[in-house]
Structure formats: C-alpha cells, structure tokens
Amino acid sequence: MRTGIATVCLSGTLREKMQACAAAGFDGIEIFEQDLVTSALTPEEIRAMAADLGLGLDLYQPFRDFDSVPGDLLAANLRRADAKFRLMSRLGMDTVLVCSNVATASIDDDGLRAEQLAALAALAQDHGVRVAYEALAWGKYVNDYEHAHRLVTAVDHPSLGTCLDSFHILSRDWDTAPIESFAPEKIFFVQVADAPRLSMDVLSWSRHYRVFPGEGQFELAKFLGHVVRAGYTGPVSLEVFNDVFRQSDVDRTAVDAMRSLIWLEEQGAQWLDAQPAAAPADAARAGAFPARRRYPMELATLPQVAEPAGFNFAEVAAAETAGLETLLGQLGFAFNGRHRTKDVQLWTMGQARVIINEVPAPGSGAPAAPAISALGFDVDSPVVAAARAQQLKAPSVPRKSQADEEIFQGFAAPDSTEIFLCQGSPDGTAVWTREFGEGLDHPANAGAGAPGAVIDHVNLAQPWQHFDEAVLFYTSALALEAQPYAEVASPTGLVRSQVMATGDRGVRLVLNLAPLVQRDGGAPEDATAGPECTGRRRTYQEHIAFAVDDLVATARAAKARGLEFLQIPDNYYEDLDARFALDPAFLATLRELNLLYDRDADGEFLHFYTATVGSVFFEMVERRGTYDGYGAPNAPVRHAVQYDHLHQLATT
C-alpha cells in the first residue's frame, strides 16, 4: 500500500513537514495550498527537495467552489484553475483535489455541474493534470460520494475521477459497500481520517476533531477493504485537521501518523480475510479477485501477537527512595533484595512485583521524585511482540544484561514509560527474580501480607498533546482494547480517563488526560503535577493499584504498620449511606478505615489510596463478584482529597 499524508496534518514550515514525512517513512505527500503559499521555497525547489527526500508529490489541494456556478463565474474559475495547473507543472504534480461547492450562490442542476466539470477536465488534460472530484460532507448540493461519482461517470472524461475521503463518507453514515462497484480507473485518490463520535455540526467536527486511524471510532478497516476490492492502486493518504496535532512536534506527529497507516493496513487485511466478497455483477471481474492476495493493492500485515496475559511488574524510578520503601512496607510488601549488578530493589506482595530503580540525582543535586518509569507485561513470545512494536515505529529500549541475567525486549511508549515484554509462566512466577537477594535483612520483611495480591491496574497520566497517540500505541503495539472513556471532575477541571484493557481484564491500563491550570497568575501547568516534579522527565500524579482478597484486613494491617490514610470527608459516607443503605456496621468500618465503596449490578468494589510520594501513589482494591469498574463515582472524592493534601504539603 502506498502511503501518503497531507501537509495540513502537521505543524511547522513546508520544509520541516517534508523532512518529517520522509523520516517517518511516507511514500508521498499532499501539498496543502496554504503551506505552499506561505513557503519561501520556489515550486522548483520544492520539487527538487521532494526528489532528494524520496517523497512523491501526490496531490495538490484544495481547489474550492468550482462547480454549480452561474456562467459569469465559470470563466473566472477556469482562469483560476489554469493558473493552478501551471503551478502544478512547475511542482511536477499531476493530480488536484476539487471539492464540491459549499457556497449559497450556486445552482442545483446536475446537468450544469456535469457540463462545468467537463470543461475543467478538458482544461486539465491540456496541462497533463487529473482532477479528483470530492463530495464534501457539508457540500451545498453534492455531499454524497455516490452523487459525486455519478457526475464523474456522466462526464466520462479520462482527466476526471473521484476522491474518496473517509471522513466525508463516514461522518454522514453513508454505506461504503457501493465503492466496490466503482471502476478503479475512476478512483483518482483516497484520503483517510478517523474521528470520535460527536454531536455537532459536521464542518466544525471536520475542521477540529479528526484524528489518525485507530484514534477514533470510524470503521476504517471496512472502508479500506471496499476500496481494495474496487481495484484501487493509488495512495492511501491521511488528511487530518486537528488543533492539537498542528501544535505538536512535527517529527513525533509524523511518526504517529505513519503508525496509524501501518495499523490501518493490517486492519484492512484482516477485514478482507474475515469478510467474503459479494459476487460482482461483472462476471469478467469476478475471476480477477478470487482472494485478498489477488487484489491489485497488497495490504501488508504485522507479526501477530496475543494480548498480554497480565502485569509482570511495575517499576518506579527515584533518586531518594526512603519514602517509597516505607510506604511499600506499610502496605505489606516484602523486600526481596537488591539486584546483584544494578542499583535496583525488588518488593513483592503475592504476585504483585514493584521494582525501585535508584536513578542518579539530576544535575542540580536535588533528589528526583519517585515516578512510574516502566511496566512489564507477560506475553507468549516477547521477541515476536517486540518485532511488531518496532514495525509500528516504537523506539527500542534495550535492557543492559550480564551473563545469566534475563534479557527483556523493551520499547518506549509515547509518554516515555518503558514497556518490557516478559515470558509469562503458568504459575505466575518470574525467572528474573532470582537475580535479586542482596540485603534481605530489610525490616519490611517482618510483616508482609496479602499473599493473593496482584497488580490490578496502572493509571498513567498523559501529556495533553499525546493522548490520542497513546491510545493508538497501546491498541496497536500491545493489542489492548480501548473502552468507552469517561470524564471525572477534579478541583482543577475535568480529567478525561481512557481505559485500555485485555478482553479477560488480565491487564487494565488507565490513561488520564488532565487539564492545564494556572496558578497565581503564572504560566499554565499540568494539573496532575505534584509539588515535587523533578526527574528524568516531566512527572505527573500516577498510581499503581493492587488487588487483594480482603481489603478490610489489608487496611487494618497497613494501619497497624503506621500507614497514614487519606482522610475521606464524612459527607462522602453520608452520601454513601443514602445511595446504598449499607449495613451500619459495615459503613462504620468503611468510615473508620477511610475506605471507598461502589456497587453495581455485577458486584462490589472496595478501595483506598495512599498519600502521594513524588508523583506516585498506590491504591489497594478488592473486587467482589464480577465488578469490572474502577469506582468512578469515588474519583471526584479522591481528586479533591489529594488536591488538598498536596497543597497542604506545598505550603508547609
């Protein structure tokens, strides 16, 4: 599949965009007219630069409001087209995108439209240019891709074809199956974009909220499958209007964009394999495409991997570890020693493993606050899973190992969290733990508890400009499924929360997008950031949750070890009683231990949180029945209590 991207998707100058697209591995680009008009490069220099970078110049766009106009405007439009066609000749480009008219001063007459498009096609032919006619979803009279195709068919000119844009088609819920009946030589160009399902006017939706494939909710695999079955062989190009992408680092966004097309290509191939093609009306064409591998456009696939079986470990990096060690010991974790060759500690409770990575202090000499730095996942084949991630543009993060030490396959997530792939074992043990053992006289070993504990979920806070990228990354690289997202109220605004999980919930990863807030008239800062935000990267409040069989017993034991619980307001427990009519003795226990509670039709959920150390805190949970949530009604309480606690610390 030939890949492309419109320059409008990216930030920066045209030169910077072209360089980023080439580095990310795109085959070609669409030049958005504004990028050319504002560039200091001449058309000839752009052409030469594209050749040097190995980039095709696939489409010039957009040419607007040409068709359905009164006669006096047609001459002006043809004159404008002639100038653009001459410009395209200097660029070495042969295809232009012409959008259906959106102006109110236009005429609803298909005969007139066909006549005017024929005139444009004839002019284009004189310049060696092809016209790809596109139905805008908000077009005044032509807003349906089948309508646009009927006009192209009626004109029947070799220089006029159609452009199929997934956003304009899927935002209007048009059926994509008719694409298969289109003559492939009349499909001049294909553009793809994903989007979340929103209730708003389609123009605003298009201009601000498109995302890359895999980051929204459109059925793009089905769309691409129909395009392939039609016999199309040209570029599949991204056209994404998104306010965040156009403010983000151009190189990083280009890599995210390329990852999305790699993912889409695989999804399209899988859709073709799973969906048998309908019998074509043309018997001659029926024999041409008996199976996916015989389609003119080949769709590549990636190494196939199963979803992770569970968390193997979570790693917290810190220069000052005393507070972290104390907190883990109070929760009931046992110290399993230091690594024999690295400045690393291992703490365990049941099958829940936490690694403390003792990182050097930053250059200022100030201690680095604890922050979640890595996650380990149990997978069937770490080597195959790592190969898939690398093909999806995930940067490799090798682990330095000596003889007789476990070799982990690793790569970096968009928020810089390191992901390590571990060989899972049926009994839940980890071979690499044998590398620890020094210093086992730690006092925490005296009171370890909760033998059935496991890592239940991990919450990672995402920088606002990379949230959509993270969703695609974990979907494509780790085979996690995105669940419906929620918005949680906090003292600093709404926090968007996106759960990524395996089908059996062996892995639950929660991505939080927190708002930016402004303090004391200063510059905006991340609302998730605590008062001690230093370290190898900008850190955020994040947490690791551990599931136990008996939370009340775990809480009592932790209290006996000196754990200071976050103080939950009495108002919460009064509301809890009003909502659930709990047994008075049980409610008193919840209040005594500062435990939170939720219930739904599937079961019950008990949990409590620790105070924050640096940017990390811990949660202990107990799931009863088949409860599958995270205590969402309690999230605003947790945010408010933590907000007060952190700001009390900041003022003392």
Side-chain angles (χ1 to χ4, degrees), residues 386-608:
R388 176 183 175 87
Q390 289 167 7
Q391 290 187 41
L392 285 160
K393 305 290 184 178
S396 177
V397 180
R399 174 180 181 262
K400 294 181 180 179
S401 301
Q402 297 188 13
D404 298 326
E405 292 182 358
E406 187 80 3
I407 298 175
F408 288 154
Q409 303 290 328
F411 49 88
D415 65 354
S416 79
T417 301
E418 295 176 353
I419 303 299
F420 290 104
L421 305 173
C422 311
Q423 186 70 60
S425 59
D427 60 0
T429 59
V431 175
W432 57 267
T433 59
R434 67 189 179 190
E435 299 168 19
F436 292 78
E438 296 182 5
L440 284 174
D441 57 346
H442 196 285
N445 283 327
V454 296
I455 296 178
D456 184 84
H457 62 275
V458 177
N459 279 49
L460 298 175
Q462 301 299 304
W464 63 272
Q465 67 272 42
H466 303 309
F467 188 85
D468 293 317
E469 177 186 1
V471 172
L472 172 61
F473 175 84
Y474 286 111
T475 299
S476 60
L478 275 180
L480 302 183
E481 297 178 6
Q483 310 301 307
Y485 72 85
E487 291 181 337
V488 177
S490 80
T492 56
L494 287 178
V495 177
R496 181 179 175 183
S497 185
Q498 173 73 68
V499 175
M500 311 292 298
T502 55
D504 64 359
R505 302 302 190 264
V507 170
R508 293 178 169 99
L509 195 63
V510 185
L511 308 179
N512 288 336
L513 174 62
L516 296 178
V517 296
Q518 195 161 330
R519 306 205 182 284
D520 303 323
E525 62 183 57
D526 290 282
T528 45
E532 302 175 280
C533 292
T534 57
R536 68 178 180 84
R537 63 182 173 95
R538 181 70 184 271
T539 54
Y540 304 83
Q541 280 192 49
E542 302 175 322
H543 79 269
I544 306 167
F546 308 101
V548 297
D549 296 328
D550 187 340
L551 188 74
V552 171
T554 299
R556 289 197 186 280
K559 184 177 181 180
R561 297 187 195 99
L563 178 67
E564 294 184 6
F565 292 76
L566 289 180
Q567 297 301 300
I568 306 302
D570 284 342
N571 293 336
Y572 167 77
Y573 295 103
E574 292 182 10
D575 178 69
L576 205 61
D577 188 34
R579 287 189 291 128
F580 294 119
L582 297 174
D583 177 81
F586 180 57
L587 182 64
T589 299
L590 297 177
R591 190 191 303 262
E592 172 200 353
L593 297 173
N594 288 279
L595 304 184
L596 299 155
Y597 176 87
D598 189 33
R599 183 173 72 204
D600 61 18
D602 298 317
E604 299 173 288
F605 188 66
L606 283 73
H607 56 142
F608 72 81

Side-chain angles (χ1 to χ4, degrees), residues 186-351:
K186 292 314 246 180
I187 305 175
F188 280 7
F189 208 77
V190 170
Q191 295 174 321
V192 291
D194 210 337
R197 287 289 180 183
L198 300 174
S199 297
M200 64 190 311
D201 70 276
V202 70
L203 177 58
S204 298
W205 187 14
S206 172
R207 286 288 178 260
H208 302 285
Y209 298 103
R210 296 194 196 193
V211 288
F212 295 132
E215 299 175 356
Q217 296 169 288
F218 285 167
E219 289 188 278
L220 292 180
K222 179 180 178 181
F223 168 80
L224 180 60
H226 289 313
V227 168
V228 171
R229 283 183 181 163
Y232 176 73
T233 57
V236 176
S237 185
L238 297 165
E239 188 194 40
V240 173
F241 298 88
N242 184 289
D243 298 345
V244 173
F245 295 170
R246 297 187 71 180
Q247 298 177 59
S248 303
D249 177 78
V250 62
D251 295 303
R252 180 167 180 166
T253 305
V255 169
D256 182 32
M258 189 64 210
R259 179 184 298 127
S260 77
L261 280 186
I262 295 170
W263 175 87
L264 176 59
E265 186 172 6
E266 177 186 51
Q267 296 298 303
Q270 292 176 354
W271 186 89
L272 286 168
D273 283 342
Q275 302 293 328
D282 184 345
R285 291 184 64 199
F289 309 122
R292 174 171 64 85
R293 291 299 178 188
R294 296 287 299 275
Y295 294 139
M297 180 188 290
E298 289 281 349
L299 297 183
T301 57
L302 299 169
Q304 297 302 294
V305 297
E307 60 186 19
F311 288 101
N312 189 285
F313 67 85
E315 178 184 288
V316 179
E320 175 54 56
T321 65
L324 198 57
E325 294 173 28
T326 298
L327 192 56
L328 288 172
Q330 290 171 338
L331 287 173
F333 277 79
F335 175 70
N336 291 126
R338 301 178 62 84
H339 194 273
R340 62 193 183 200
T341 63
K342 302 177 177 67
D343 293 328
V344 171
Q345 304 176 25
L346 173 62
W347 293 71
T348 63
M349 182 166 59
Q351 292 186 9

Side-chain angles (χ1 to χ4, degrees), residues 98-118:
V98 174
C99 306
S100 61
N101 204 324
V102 301
T104 55
S106 54
I107 302 167
D108 187 12
D109 183 337
D110 271 0
L112 176 65
R113 273 187 281 274
E115 179 182 325
Q116 293 178 346
L117 287 171

